[in-house]
Amino acid sequence: MTNLEKFEYVVNHWFLKDGVVYAYKTQKPVIFYGDNGIGHRYNNINYYKKGARAAVYIHQAVYMLHHNRPIGEGMVIHHIDGDRLNNHPANLIELTRKQHQHIHAYQCDNPLRGISLHNNRLWEFSWYDDNGRHGKYFNGINEAMKFRAEIEEPFRAELRALGLDC
């Protein structure tokens, strides 16, 4: 099911009032009963035009109803403050999958993220980009951390331009 088809279902069956998704039919809040295991709640919908079933997450529904448009194909909705329960429209932003991966990677609190000791003598920094996995070795941990900061800066700058803190 495409995002446009999800949007058509959502706007034809649900509405947003004070940040809560309601059903037109019952005038009661929609129950997002499913849980994907990491805190995202969803509701399975049946798309009548194709007989298809799909999951619509609460944060997707809130975003689509608030902005009155579908989520772009290949795009995802990110919780700005990291709280998956905070589905207020101001806390939701549309990102590309790459941007979403980057923000989760760079907002990590682990100071040794991507850096490990190799053969008890060299520090290795490994990272992924569009061309796959890369690794580089350093004599000292500070050199590895400095190099990591250089590699990540363009991605961080892109995310800061979107108003995200990283």
Side-chain angles (χ1 to χ4, degrees), residues 16-149:
L16 190 64
K17 180 179 174 187
D18 299 326
V20 177
V21 178
Y22 287 85
Y24 282 119
K25 188 175 183 179
T26 64
Q27 298 293 302
K28 293 182 179 179
V30 174
I31 299 170
F32 289 83
Y33 54 85
D35 185 336
N36 70 350
I38 59 169
H40 290 289
R41 309 289 303 172
Y42 66 88
N43 190 322
N44 280 321
I45 61 170
N46 293 316
Y47 191 65
Y48 59 92
K49 290 183 180 177
K50 292 189 177 183
R53 283 181 62 100
V56 175
Y57 290 87
I58 188 169
H59 60 286
Q60 293 173 329
V62 169
Y63 186 89
M64 288 187 283
L65 290 167
H66 179 76
H67 293 283
N68 195 30
R69 68 173 180 81
I71 298 165
E73 291 301 324
M75 304 294 275
V76 296
I77 303 303
H78 172 72
H79 291 86
I80 295 169
D81 69 0
D83 180 357
R84 294 178 180 117
L85 299 176
N86 180 0
N87 294 302
H88 189 277
N91 190 45
L92 303 174
I93 186 171
E94 187 177 37
L95 300 173
T96 66
R97 292 192 188 283
K98 279 282 186 213
Q99 290 169 328
H100 196 232
Q101 289 170 345
H102 290 159
I103 193 126
H104 283 288
Y106 306 147
Q107 285 185 331
C108 172
D109 290 335
N110 181 357
L112 293 179
R113 175 183 30 76
I115 299 173
S116 60
L117 189 58
H118 183 76
N119 291 336
N120 290 323
R121 61 182 185 93
L122 294 175
W123 291 94
E124 179 186 19
F125 169 59
S126 58
W127 71 99
Y128 292 88
D129 63 18
D130 293 339
N131 299 316
R133 184 186 183 279
H134 305 280
K136 187 169 179 175
Y137 295 98
F138 301 90
N139 289 319
I141 191 170
N142 290 336
E143 296 170 51
M145 292 174 88
K146 181 179 176 192
F147 182 77
R148 178 183 65 194

Side-chain angles (χ1 to χ4, degrees), residues 148-163:
R148 178 183 65 194
E150 292 170 8
I151 291 290
E152 293 178 351
E153 182 50 36
F155 302 114
R156 289 179 182 275
E158 176 188 0
L159 296 169
R160 284 193 299 268
L162 295 170

